[in-house]
Amino acid sequence: MNTEAEKRSLLLEMITLATVDGHLHKRELEFLRIVAVELNITEEEFQDLFHQEAKSLPIPSEIQRINQFYRLALLMHCDGILHEREFQTIQQIALQMGLNMSAVKRVLEMMRKAPNTVINPIVLIEIFQEQHN
């Protein structure tokens, strides 16, 4: 992430996904807070983001888009409840990012089957790179 606007945009996108089911679970909030710290967003800025409208900025690099998709997928699973609206929203976001939908569905299915929803980063990248051939 380069600019503050890009960092806020990524976090706003995550907040949108976390609240799409009408409830912000404690584990989702903790996950969002960890990401905010990693992005060097202060607690005050973090709290303020919950009162802003999401304005997505395009993510230039495919690796960064895959990374953001994976963050969103982890967030979606962190409360232990997979809502249909979350599933639809993450697919819509991935489509807007220009990610391959076959790879997106494959990753989401792998995460659903994994004991802790975590996928090896190398495998994650390979899934998306397979679609380039």
Side-chain angles (χ1 to χ4, degrees):
M1 293 307 102
N2 297 331
T3 69
E4 291 301 313
E6 289 172 330
K7 292 176 185 179
R8 282 190 300 276
S9 175
L10 292 176
L11 203 49
L12 276 168
E13 190 170 64
M14 294 179 77
I15 290 168
T16 298
L17 179 64
T19 57
V20 75
D21 62 1
H23 178 69
L24 181 62
H25 191 275
K26 182 180 177 183
R27 292 184 74 188
E28 291 172 323
L29 180 60
E30 290 170 6
F31 187 89
L32 290 167
R33 194 168 267 125
I34 290 168
V35 172
V37 168
E38 289 295 317
L39 295 175
N40 294 317
I41 293 176
T42 67
E43 180 64 24
E44 184 178 325
E45 290 173 308
F46 175 68
Q47 292 297 325
D48 188 50
L49 289 174
F50 285 90
H51 306 288
Q52 293 182 19
E53 188 174 319
K55 298 173 195 157
S56 294
L57 296 177
I59 303 171
S61 152
E62 182 180 29
I63 295 295
Q64 289 176 327
R65 290 192 305 270
I66 293 168
N67 190 26
Q68 177 65 359
F69 163 74
Y70 186 57
R71 278 190 210 111
L72 291 166
L74 287 171
L75 174 64
M76 181 175 77
H77 286 90
C78 78
D79 65 357
I81 304 166
L82 184 59
H83 294 276
E84 182 62 30
R85 289 190 69 189
E86 289 174 327
F87 189 73
Q88 292 170 352
T89 301
I90 197 169
Q91 288 188 31
Q92 183 62 37
I93 291 169
L95 186 63
Q96 290 170 347
M97 287 181 184
L99 295 177
N100 180 284
M101 290 311 292
S102 295
V104 165
K105 290 176 182 176
R106 191 167 158 206
V107 167
L108 292 174
E109 182 63 20
M110 285 181 74
M111 290 179 77
R112 188 184 66 76
K113 290 179 179 178
N116 60 359
T117 70
V118 176
I119 297 176
N120 181 315
I122 294 169
V123 172
L124 178 68
I125 299 301
E126 286 175 351
I127 290 170
F128 281 95
Q129 288 179 341
E130 284 174 5
Q131 303 304 316
H132 290 277
N133 295 330

